[in-house]
Structures are given as C-alpha cells and as structure tokens.
Amino acid sequence: MSNQIVIAYFPVFHGGVRDFIRRTCQNPGTRLMLVDEGLAKQLSGIDEPYMVSAWDMARGLGKLLSMDDLDVRVLDMTNLRLLPNWDLVVAQSRVCRLLVEKYLSNWQVTFDSAFVHWDHDNVMAESTFPTDRVVTLDEFVTGIVERAYAEAAKSPCYWRQVGAVAYRDGKILGAADAYNTYCPTDDTGYAEGDVRTYVEAGTKSEICNSIHAEAKLTAIVAKNGDNLVGASVYVTCAPCIGCAQLLIEHGVKQIAFSTGGAYVGVDRLLKDAGVETVKVQLPDDYFV
C-alpha cells in the first residue's frame, strides 16, 4: 500500500488533469486531495466563478476515469491540519505552491510539473520553446533569414525590432515581408510616446499602439490579393500567442524563428494546430 498523498487544484477538467491523476494515483492506497475553492481563494486572492466545485469533482472522478478504487477527498482548512505524515506529491500551480509555502513548508514535498491549468505563474513565465526541428542557417531556406533581419532593422520600436517573411516552396510571396511598427505611422511612437513604457513587460498586451510584424505581414499579403494557406513564415523572434493564433487561422503550415521563448503555451498551441515549428540557429558572429 502506498503512503502517498497527491495534492492538486483543478478549477477545470481536461485531458491533462486526467493524465496527471492516472499517473500519480496509480499505486493502491494513494490519496488524492483536491484543494477546496474557498482555500484556493484565501491563498491566491482570486475568485474563479467558472470553476468546477472540488466537491463535485471529487464525487465524479472515480467513475469518470474508470478508477473505482480512487481515494479522492477535498482539502480545506479543517482537514489540512489532520493530514497524515505521508509523502506529498503536489501539482505545480500557484495555489498549490502558496499552500506549501504557508502550511506545509516543513513537509517532504515533490512538485509535479505537469500542466493542469492556467494561473498567474505559468501565464507570466517564459519557457524554452521546444520545436519540431532545429537547423543551422546554412540548412535553412536561402535568403529568408537575411531578409527578415533586414526588415527588423527598419522597425522604429525602441523596445524590440522584429522582422517577418512569408514564403512558399522556398520563394518569398511577392512583397510578403514586414516589421513591427507603430500605428498609424512609423513616427507615432516618437511623436506621442510608446504606451508600453508604463506597462509591466509581459502583461496587458492589449495596451499597445504598435502592430506586430506577423500581423502586419498577414495584412500585406491580403492587400496583395494572396493568402498564406500552406505557406511558411520566418519571424526573427518566436511569435506571441495572438500572432500564433492569427497565423494558424490564415493556414500557415510552418513557423520558423531564431530567438525568443514560449509564453502562454504557444508551443502547445502550434503543435495542436498541426503547425511545424523550426528553430534556426544563427552563428555566434551573425550580428558582428
């Protein structure tokens, strides 16, 4: 019999939660404890009105997962103090991390890094972007990277200069290249100031008076009467979640880049959408 307790906070149920439970609770006697929404709110200060009740989830998980012997209970302030001195496996989330810091700091805890839901910590975190392929500059399509960085050099943005190029079968689609810039003109950010100056980096992406290179690229392609269905896009920096969604909806089949990481699960989004991702490694002296 296992002397192990698995603690998790599941405001929603999805395939990742299912896999997490089946993997961590496979040994007989393992106890799964779901953090009660009241305790979760006390810890994080955030009210999630659309979450599934921990009590409702606890009642239905065994049947839902065809695990009739699953020992699942709700963890609240009352039984928190009555936890047996067993090994703890804790889901990696903000609520669970705060729970351990405040009440379980003296326990032997193993954090499980599987994704179970979005929260403040993983939304704000930049992670390594795992791509389908990694190639050198010499192995990549000739001229694409050079053209994208030439576009990036035109950007008036004083935070980050990004260039993007669309191509199909190794050939650039007409005038399908672009750089990030201000709207309605390149000079707006200097004439009126950049509103991002007053916003914490990585937050409130809707507060912006500029347009990303990928978004401008799709507009240019459309204006020229072409489309991106089945095309590839190289962008000097990995796309944000909004640009990735935009390129997916335009039918792009491959996205390549050389710098940047993954925010808000953009890597999983592209993989689930069937878009191939390629990391183009640039030589150390490329910018010298």
Side-chain angles (χ1 to χ4, degrees):
M1 295 290 288
S2 171
N3 287 328
Q4 176 176 283
I5 296 175
V6 177
I7 296 178
Y9 173 59
F10 298 144
V12 294
F13 183 85
H14 54 80
V17 170
R18 175 201 61 207
D19 295 342
F20 171 85
I21 295 173
R22 286 178 173 168
R23 176 170 51 79
T24 58
C25 300
Q26 58 183 318
N27 294 328
T30 298
R31 181 180 301 175
L32 172 62
M33 303 204 71
L34 306 180
V35 178
D36 167 73
E37 50 268 32
L39 178 56
K41 183 178 179 180
Q42 175 187 326
L43 290 165
S44 69
I46 298 175
D47 187 15
E48 302 191 60
Y50 304 108
M51 73 171 290
V52 179
S53 162
W55 290 99
D56 290 339
M57 189 173 291
R59 280 193 288 265
L61 272 180
K63 291 184 178 179
L64 187 63
L65 300 176
S66 299
M67 298 174 68
D68 294 335
D69 296 329
L70 180 64
D71 181 4
V72 53
R73 311 182 189 189
V74 173
L75 181 64
D76 54 24
M77 283 303 301
T78 300
N79 55 24
L80 178 61
R81 300 182 177 89
L82 302 176
L83 287 178
N85 189 22
W86 293 359
D87 293 336
L88 292 184
V89 175
V90 180
Q92 184 73 275
S93 69
R94 180 176 176 80
V95 165
C96 290
R97 178 177 60 77
L98 293 172
L99 176 72
V100 170
E101 290 177 0
K102 189 169 184 178
Y103 298 109
L104 304 172
S105 59
N106 294 325
W107 289 59
Q108 185 67 38
V109 175
T110 300
F111 280 100
D112 189 287
S113 61
F115 174 83
V116 290
H117 69 90
W118 289 116
D119 60 23
H120 176 275
D121 290 356
N122 55 31
V123 166
M124 298 305 299
E126 179 181 10
S127 61
T128 302
F129 200 129
T131 56
D132 297 310
R133 291 192 293 129
V134 178
V135 300
T136 65
L137 179 61
D138 291 338
E139 295 170 331
F140 196 58
V141 185
T142 303
I144 298 296
V145 173
E146 294 80 358
R147 184 150 173 176
Y149 273 97
E151 284 296 304
K154 301 175 185 177
S155 172
C157 178
Y158 44 82
W159 294 112
R160 177 179 291 178
Q161 297 77 45
V162 179
V165 176
Y167 54 99
R168 186 182 286 115
D169 299 324
K171 296 181 180 179
I172 295 175
L173 300 179
D177 47 14
Y179 55 88
N180 61 315
T181 186
Y182 296 106
C183 288
T185 72
D186 285 0
D187 299 326
T188 299
Y190 292 90
E192 301 176 357
D194 189 328
V195 299
R196 294 295 302 175
T197 303
Y198 307 100
V199 181
E200 182 182 353
T203 68
K204 297 185 179 296
S205 61
E206 72 279 5
I207 300 178
C208 186
N209 57 346
S210 63
I211 182 171
H212 287 192
E214 301 94 320
K216 185 178 179 182
L217 177 71
T218 60
I220 290 173
V221 171
K223 286 179 180 178
N224 290 336
D226 207 339
N227 64 70
L228 293 174
V229 176
S232 300
V233 170
Y234 173 83
V235 59
T236 55
C237 183
C240 68
I241 190 75
C243 287
Q245 292 168 335
L246 187 63
L247 294 176
I248 288 170
E249 291 301 316
H250 276 272
V252 169
K253 71 173 184 179
Q254 181 193 84
I255 296 176
F257 61 91
S258 293
T259 64
Y263 281 100
V264 202
V266 66
D267 53 321
R268 293 190 298 109
L269 169 71
L270 292 170
K271 183 177 181 179
D272 291 345
V275 177
E276 182 187 25
T277 52
V278 180
K279 175 74 175 289
V280 182
Q281 291 184 325
L282 303 179
D284 294 338
D285 60 352
Y286 186 78
F287 299 105
V288 176

